[in-house]
Amino acid sequence: MTALCGRFRGFLPVVVDVETSGFEPDRHALLEMAAIIIGGEVGQLRPVSTHHFHVQPFAGAVLDPAALAFTGIDPFQPLRGAIPEEDALRGMFRPVRSAVKAAHCRRAILVGHNAAFDLSFIKAAEKRTGVKNNPFHRFSTFDTVSLAGLAYGETVLAKAALAAGLDWDHAQAHSALYDAHQTAELFCRIVNRFDLHQEYS
């Protein structure tokens, strides 16, 4: 079994990271999101394409000052080039659907560090906008918190990345693009070192 379509029961792993204005997906805004599609053959998985969007807060969204200070995002900075949620979702879903088809997979599965958080904001935005054809599994995810805890004994993304031999730049952390990139590299390193045909005792 070398094809990616056979590695995860027909699911294509896609790393997603979102930055938001708080913790509640129905009240707080989705401000930035990045998706990195994973490709390659089994044992040699790697990030193959990146899709990144700055997102305009939806009407009536709560913008928690503490969350904005943490991410460093000014939602109304015109140079962000932010686009409406609907456009951002379509911009993410379209290439993911194409990648699923090209890899002969059944659908995508979201990979994230605290993946349930990222998926909850994607689904809330999907509901608000009415965008159809979400390519991601509705509730199953791969969470690098658990995977890194198993592989390296670390659950914090920065510490797990360092344990995996990756560099870590604190100045770039907490941007969706940087965190998604690091999560993708971490995921690939963990999965590539695990041989399905080896017996573990």
Side-chain angles (χ1 to χ4, degrees):
M1 181 179 64
T2 59
L4 178 55
C5 62
R7 179 61 176 82
F8 305 110
R9 294 186 54 251
F11 293 132
L12 177 71
V14 178
V15 177
V16 174
D17 189 83
V18 303
E19 301 298 334
T20 70
S21 70
F23 297 108
E24 300 177 45
D26 294 326
R27 298 177 62 241
H28 295 119
L30 175 63
L31 299 176
E32 185 185 4
M33 62 182 187
I36 299 181
I37 296 169
I38 302 300
E41 294 187 346
V42 173
Q44 298 178 334
L45 300 187
R46 65 188 188 281
V48 295
S49 65
T50 300
H51 308 275
H52 176 230
F53 307 92
H54 294 283
V55 185
Q56 297 170 359
F58 65 88
V62 176
L63 305 177
D64 185 338
L68 299 182
F70 180 75
T71 62
I73 296 174
D74 177 355
F76 304 108
Q77 166 56 255
L79 297 180
R80 288 180 69 223
I83 60 177
E85 276 188 325
E86 180 176 350
D87 295 341
L89 285 185
R90 293 187 193 281
M92 175 187 285
F93 289 174
R94 190 177 299 114
V96 171
R97 287 197 302 269
S98 295
V100 168
K101 183 177 180 180
H104 305 290
C105 289
R106 293 187 292 121
R107 69 184 316 165
I109 186 166
L110 188 147
V111 181
H113 207 74
N114 295 310
F117 178 86
D118 301 283
L119 183 60
S120 70
F121 271 86
I122 297 297
K123 290 172 67 175
E126 177 191 11
K127 182 178 179 180
R128 276 192 298 270
T129 60
V131 171
K132 304 296 184 182
N133 299 317
N134 183 342
F136 292 101
H137 194 287
R138 300 301 297 177
F139 53 84
S140 292
T141 61
F142 289 145
D143 196 330
T144 51
V145 172
S146 300
L147 292 174
L150 174 64
Y152 302 114
E154 298 287 358
T155 58
V156 175
L157 180 57
K159 293 182 178 181
L162 292 171
L166 301 171
D167 294 329
W168 185 264
D169 184 349
H170 289 283
Q172 295 189 67
H174 307 306
S175 76
L177 184 59
Y178 184 77
D179 287 2
H181 173 76
Q182 294 296 91
T183 301
E185 293 289 349
L186 177 64
F187 175 76
C188 290
R189 291 201 179 194
I190 294 172
V191 173
N192 287 342
R193 67 185 281 194
F194 185 86
D195 185 347
L196 285 176
H197 302 292
Q198 178 178 339
E199 292 187 6
Y200 295 87
S201 58

